Amino acid sequence: MSVREPAFRLEHDALGTVEVPAQHCWGAQTQRSLQNFAIGIERMPEEIVRAFALLKKAAALANRELGRLDEDRCRRIAAACDEILDHQWDGEFPLKVWQTGSGTQSNMNVNEVVAHLCARMAPQGPEVHPNDHVNMSQSSNDTFPTALHIAAALALEESLFPALDGIAATLRRLEAENNDVIKIGRTHLQDAVPLRFSQEISGWRVSLERDREMLELSLNGLHALALGGTAVGTGLNAPAGFDAEVAGQIRLLTGREFTSEPNKFHALTSKGELVFAHGALKALAADLMKIANDVRWLASGPRCGLGEISIPENEPGSSIMPGKVNPTQCEAVTMIAVQVMGNDAAVGIAASQGNFELNVFMPVLAYNFLQSVRLLADGMESFRKNCLEGLRADRGRMKELLDRSLMLVTCLTPRIGYEQAAQAALLAHREGLSLREAVLRSRLLTEAEYDALVDPEKMV
């Protein structure tokens, strides 16, 4: 008869012993958090777990360099962190966002998992304790803000920027393809003077490029790390030089320009850098909202709308109207924009809660910031691939609307004056005439004069 493996093992912490599921690597403090914070379904973002693994490895290497940690424990801690970074233990980080505002339980979750993995590597070796060794020279109060900055910066640099650059490149191609297309402009949703379709697209592209510049500027603050401040910013229990050494190790591990924040009291309590960076994300969301709305307006139809462009027909649009196709990619982008704008409110309010020496809204800051980056990056890539890549100008429709526009009269004002030009436009509108017919009927210009002056090519 086979012996059944026990379902639980006993783990202990300062409050006593706790039963932990035998198949998992976490310890007592993680288990207590699971039991005490069964709130919602939102788990700590995987980007935060990755950032914690990076900083725990960097801290072990720094502690070794400074003579605090022996080679064997350093090697095992680093190897355990590498396994976490390699996604071998994703199921070991189950904690919810809705926990202590300092993120202490998530810091301990990583400490406990790393210590457990170290024990597996060398069951007979010296103990690697989650607090004494994995958390050496650290506090949750400086590790979570550090993980938050690392995760935010890497999300921007590794995820958002490639998607942003991809959509800008597609818009640049569309500009080149449509440089010879002249269409009517619109202001206040009303007819305006002409412009090239490429000029309209260039406005979209440059808006996104300006957003990228603002996000790049925000990296200066995100690259500054709190690690080394420990509990309240004084660096208690961290050796001299630890902050600079650990920042250097993180720089080597990531290839990014991370540095040590010189004022740790600021780093622990203020989250202004996150507010600034998320403000740039909100600007990006606002511009994507405008671009997606422009695209779906210009593609409206196919028979009874503007119909100046066509976009890919990706899926049926109605369960009741056969043949209907909708601008679904535009709708996804605009919903993302709304979510990011809502997240910005949460980020700003959470950042305002830095009481005394610590901000205690960091998990919700992390959740909202990283969700915004993830949604924007994925949304831009989907919008580019499934909509913008297949966008085509309907040149015939653009010319038809251009020729019908009454606002071409604007180019006549230097010759016939504003009031007479306005009267001609109103006459054409009231009586259903073309602008040319109205000007000639009013005897404001001869045919030859009108044809010489009203040339859309000269107006753009």
Side-chain angles (χ1 to χ4, degrees):
M1 188 168 135
S2 62
V3 177
R4 181 177 296 178
E5 292 291 327
F8 295 94
R9 69 177 190 276
L10 290 179
E11 292 279 349
H12 73 276
D13 59 15
L15 295 182
T17 57
V18 180
E19 285 190 338
V20 174
Q23 74 272 25
H24 286 296
C25 298
W26 62 69
Q29 292 196 48
T30 302
Q31 189 64 32
R32 289 187 194 279
S33 183
L34 276 174
Q35 294 166 357
N36 293 334
F37 297 98
I39 303 170
I41 61 172
E42 296 82 6
R43 287 168 60 162
M44 191 61 65
E46 65 177 27
E47 297 93 335
I48 291 291
V49 174
R50 177 194 178 196
F52 262 114
L54 284 167
L55 77 85
K56 294 297 175 183
K57 179 177 180 178
L61 295 170
N63 280 315
R64 181 195 64 187
E65 292 301 310
L66 296 169
R68 293 286 298 273
L69 188 66
D70 62 90
E71 180 63 37
D72 176 70
R73 287 188 175 95
C74 175
R75 177 185 55 78
R76 283 189 282 153
I77 291 171
C81 291
D82 286 339
E83 291 183 7
I84 293 169
L85 291 168
D86 195 38
H87 297 284
Q88 295 181 35
W89 304 101
D90 289 352
E92 299 302 318
F93 305 99
L95 298 189
K96 302 293 177 58
V97 170
W98 319 111
Q99 56 171 274
T100 177
S102 62
T104 297
Q105 283 114 18
S106 282
N107 178 44
M108 285 308 304
N109 181 194
V110 177
N111 290 336
E112 289 176 342
V113 170
V114 170
H116 191 95
L117 295 177
C118 288
R120 283 189 175 189
M121 293 173 198
Q124 306 305 317
E127 179 193 15
V128 174
H129 191 278
N131 295 82
D132 294 337
H133 302 115
V134 186
N135 201 59
M136 181 182 283
S137 309
Q138 304 154 63
S139 161
S140 298
N141 295 355
D142 66 350
T143 58
F144 201 98
T146 297
L148 181 49
H149 273 213
I150 292 172
L154 293 182
L156 292 178
E157 294 176 282
E158 296 179 358
S159 177
L160 189 88
F161 286 172
L164 190 45
D165 292 343
I167 203 169
T170 295
L171 292 174
R172 196 173 293 109
R173 174 182 62 77
L174 288 170
E175 283 179 67
E177 291 176 1
N178 292 282
N179 191 51
D180 61 332
V181 182
I182 299 175
K183 64 182 291 287
I184 197 64
R186 296 178 180 87
T187 58
H188 304 270
L189 297 181
Q190 306 296 304
D191 302 347
V193 296
L195 76 166
R196 296 187 188 277
F197 187 35
S198 61
Q199 292 172 323
E200 189 168 45
I201 296 169
S202 76
W204 300 343
R205 173 182 56 79
V206 171
S207 294
L208 298 182
E209 290 173 346
R210 293 289 187 271
D211 295 329
R212 193 190 201 284
E213 291 170 7
M214 289 187 283
L215 286 163
E216 287 172 349
L217 190 60
S218 76
L219 287 174
N220 293 330
L222 295 179
H223 282 153
L225 303 179
L227 210 56
T230 65
V232 297
T234 60
L236 179 66
N237 290 350
F242 175 77
D243 55 352
E245 180 66 30
V246 76
Q249 294 290 347
I250 293 171
R251 196 159 54 245
L252 288 172
L253 291 173
T254 61
R256 306 294 179 179
E257 293 303 312
F258 289 107
T259 60
S260 178
E261 165 58 51
N263 191 306
K264 304 299 190 297
F265 308 101
H266 158 76
L268 268 58
T269 192
S270 172
K271 295 294 162 274
E273 291 85 358
L274 271 296
V275 175
F276 183 82
H278 202 281
L281 291 174
K282 182 171 73 170
L284 174 59
D287 284 325
L288 286 169
M289 173 77 84
K290 181 261 192 291
I291 293 166
N293 278 334
D294 282 358
V295 168
R296 62 177 168 182
W297 272 107
L298 292 173
S300 61
R303 295 277 178 96
C304 302
L306 295 181
E308 290 192 345
I309 63 173
S310 64
I311 55 177
E313 298 179 346
N314 296 324
E315 64 272 312
S318 173
S319 62
I320 188 173
M321 293 176 279
K324 194 173 192 299
V325 179
N326 296 327
T328 51
Q329 289 294 318
C330 298
E331 291 165 7
V333 168
T334 54
M335 286 192 290
I336 287 167
V338 168
Q339 182 66 52
V340 172
M341 292 172 190
N343 287 352
D344 191 71
V347 167
I349 294 169
S352 73
Q353 302 302 305
N355 304 127
F356 302 120
E357 277 65 61
L358 186 67
N359 178 286
V360 291
F361 285 69
M362 285 188 287
V364 74
L365 268 166
Y367 182 81
N368 281 276
F369 188 99
L370 293 167
Q371 184 192 59
S372 291
V373 175
R374 199 179 310 114
L375 289 175
L376 287 168
D378 291 351
M380 284 189 292
E381 182 62 11
S382 181
F383 187 43
R384 179 193 66 78
K385 182 171 62 176
N386 298 310
C387 183
L388 294 180
E389 286 290 344
L391 185 152
R392 299 290 181 268
D394 186 330
R395 295 173 178 236
R397 176 64 171 164
M398 286 184 176
K399 186 174 189 313
E400 175 193 350
L401 294 178
L402 177 66
D403 291 343
R404 288 176 55 195
S405 172
L406 301 180
M407 288 305 99
L408 297 177
V409 77
T410 305
C411 69
L412 298 179
T413 56
R415 178 70 175 270
I416 64 175
Y418 183 95
E419 291 194 11
Q420 291 194 101
Q423 290 169 7
L426 291 171
L427 173 65
H429 184 56
R430 281 196 308 267
E431 301 195 14
L433 305 173
S434 70
L435 180 63
R436 189 176 191 276
E437 290 169 335
V439 170
L440 296 180
R441 179 187 290 188
S442 302
R443 298 185 178 181
L444 297 172
L445 295 170
T446 67
E447 290 187 18
E449 288 171 331
Y450 181 92
D451 293 340
L453 289 169
V454 182
D455 181 358
E457 190 77 38
K458 296 176 182 177
M459 300 173 69
V460 297

